[in-house]
Amino acid sequence: MGGNDYHETRPLAGCSDAEEVDDIDGLYHAKDTATQLHKDQRHFYLVLMMTLVIISSICSGLLGVYLGHQTRDLDATCAAYTTQYSPVLKEAKLKYSVSRFNGTFMQEDVYRQTGSTEVDAAWEALGVNYRAGVISVEEGLRSGLNSAHVQRSPKYGGGFFVNVEGLHHLHCLDLLRKSLYFNYPHYKALGTHAFTNADDILRLHVSHCLDTLRQVLMCNADTGVLGQVWYNKAEPQAFPDFKTEHKCKNFEAIRKWGELRQEPPVEALPPDYIARPATDDVLVEVP
């Protein structure tokens, strides 16, 4: 050694030069593997996020379509839930809209005026005297009818004779109108429709209509509320405000359904047009 400043360099114990090189290569290989794994993880998460975004978009779209469909069918759903089934529900395409009632007290519209040709025409246009129409046997049974109800002869296509309930209710209201004390003499003198009957039958007809409308109003009790308004500038007084808003069905579609399905007048029908009833289906007296 002498005075030489000499430091011996030795490999670490158990590690040759070749092994040292191999370890360096392994270190870089491990580093590369870790980098690749990190890239793979990033790619996996990126693909996962994209997949979730796509699924979310699809679900949102489907939900939008569903909700839109539900909104469009809400009128039909409401009508079906609150009404006895009949083919009118699907064929008339019922819709609801807000309508403000003509609740004026002092101004009479045509429906309130004293009986005349003009007033009668206005009521007739509502479908108050439409003839019965015919619906299929299948639709009749689904609507609550049975084999005892009057049917058309199979020779002419079969089916049940029916009237739209709402139009019958208006028919009843029209009869009450005609029977009001200020209208009765006029219609009694005309002697048409219900007024062709004897007074005792007319009375039963009127009271039948009165009670039918009572039941209709109770069945469909309106839960809206009436406010009050002031009148009389000199000395203000309160009076009910009958000009209220209501959610109403599209009556015109219902009226049109009844109009288009009317059968010809009885006198124009062949003698065998109406199917003969079974003996057990004939009632003893008028129900």
Side-chain angles (χ1 to χ4, degrees):
M1 292 192 184
N4 294 332
D5 187 9
Y6 175 78
H7 297 282
E8 184 177 8
T9 302
R10 298 172 182 268
L12 295 174
C15 181
S16 66
D17 291 343
E19 289 174 333
E20 184 177 1
V21 172
D22 287 343
D23 278 351
I24 293 173
D25 289 342
L27 179 62
Y28 281 111
H29 177 69
K31 185 176 181 180
D32 291 342
T33 301
T35 301
Q36 185 61 42
L37 180 61
H38 182 63
K39 289 181 178 179
D40 290 344
Q41 288 177 332
R42 288 178 60 189
H43 182 261
F44 170 76
Y45 287 123
L46 181 61
V47 171
L48 179 61
M49 289 299 294
M50 290 179 66
T51 303
L52 291 175
V53 169
I54 292 172
I55 293 175
S56 177
S57 299
I58 293 174
C59 289
S60 297
L62 292 175
L63 180 61
V65 171
Y66 172 77
L67 291 177
H69 179 72
Q70 290 297 101
T71 300
R72 288 195 300 273
D73 288 350
L74 188 59
D75 287 340
T77 301
C78 182
Y81 184 76
T82 59
T83 309
Q84 171 68 21
Y85 174 80
S86 86
V88 178
L89 286 174
K90 60 182 180 181
E91 294 175 11
K93 295 181 173 27
L94 299 183
K95 300 294 181 185
Y96 288 83
S97 61
V98 176
S99 177
R100 182 177 293 276
F101 280 11
N102 177 5
T104 181
F105 191 81
M106 302 299 290
Q107 302 287 330
E108 289 186 330
D109 62 18
V110 66
Y111 301 105
R112 295 171 55 186
Q113 293 171 11
T114 303
S116 68
T117 302
E118 180 187 8
V119 174
D120 290 345
W123 279 89
E124 287 284 339
L126 298 179
V128 297
N129 289 312
Y130 282 171
R131 298 181 302 277
V134 173
I135 61 175
S136 69
V137 171
E138 294 75 19
E139 288 285 20
L141 295 175
R142 188 179 176 191
S143 301
L145 307 182
N146 58 56
S147 60
H149 287 92
V150 179
Q151 299 180 55
R152 183 169 58 182
S153 171
K155 175 182 177 180
Y156 298 96
F160 291 94
F161 288 95
V162 297
N163 290 90
V164 179
E165 283 265 28
L167 298 184
H168 169 248
H169 300 155
L170 284 172
H171 160 82
C172 274
L173 188 60
D174 187 40
L175 180 57
L176 292 183
R177 172 189 70 86
K178 291 176 177 179
S179 301
L180 294 171
Y181 76 91
F182 56 82
N183 279 332
Y184 179 82
H186 171 73
Y187 290 105
K188 184 63 176 176
L190 285 178
T192 56
H193 297 293
F195 293 87
T196 60
N197 299 125
D199 286 349
D200 58 335
I201 299 300
L202 176 61
R203 178 182 178 279
L204 289 173
H205 195 164
V206 172
S207 64
H208 151 76
C209 280
L210 174 69
D211 202 45
T212 295
L213 294 180
R214 173 192 65 80
Q215 294 174 78
V216 170
L217 291 172
M218 292 175 67
C219 178
N220 301 283
D222 196 326
T223 54
V225 294
L226 292 170
Q228 298 185 22
V229 293
W230 294 105
Y231 78 99
N232 192 350
K233 294 285 188 180
E235 186 178 346
Q237 298 181 49
F239 190 80
D241 179 13
F242 297 111
K243 298 178 180 179
T244 50
E245 291 188 341
H246 300 258
K247 266 293 183 65
C248 303
K249 292 176 182 173
N250 50 335
F251 172 78
E252 183 60 20
I254 299 172
R255 185 202 63 76
K256 196 70 175 177
W257 190 95
E259 178 187 29
L260 294 177
R261 282 159 182 75
Q262 292 182 95
E263 289 289 287
V266 174
E267 55 271 17
L269 297 175
D272 59 347
Y273 193 77
I274 300 176
R276 298 300 300 168
T279 302
D280 293 342
D281 292 338
V282 181
L283 303 175
V284 177
E285 58 185 7
V286 174

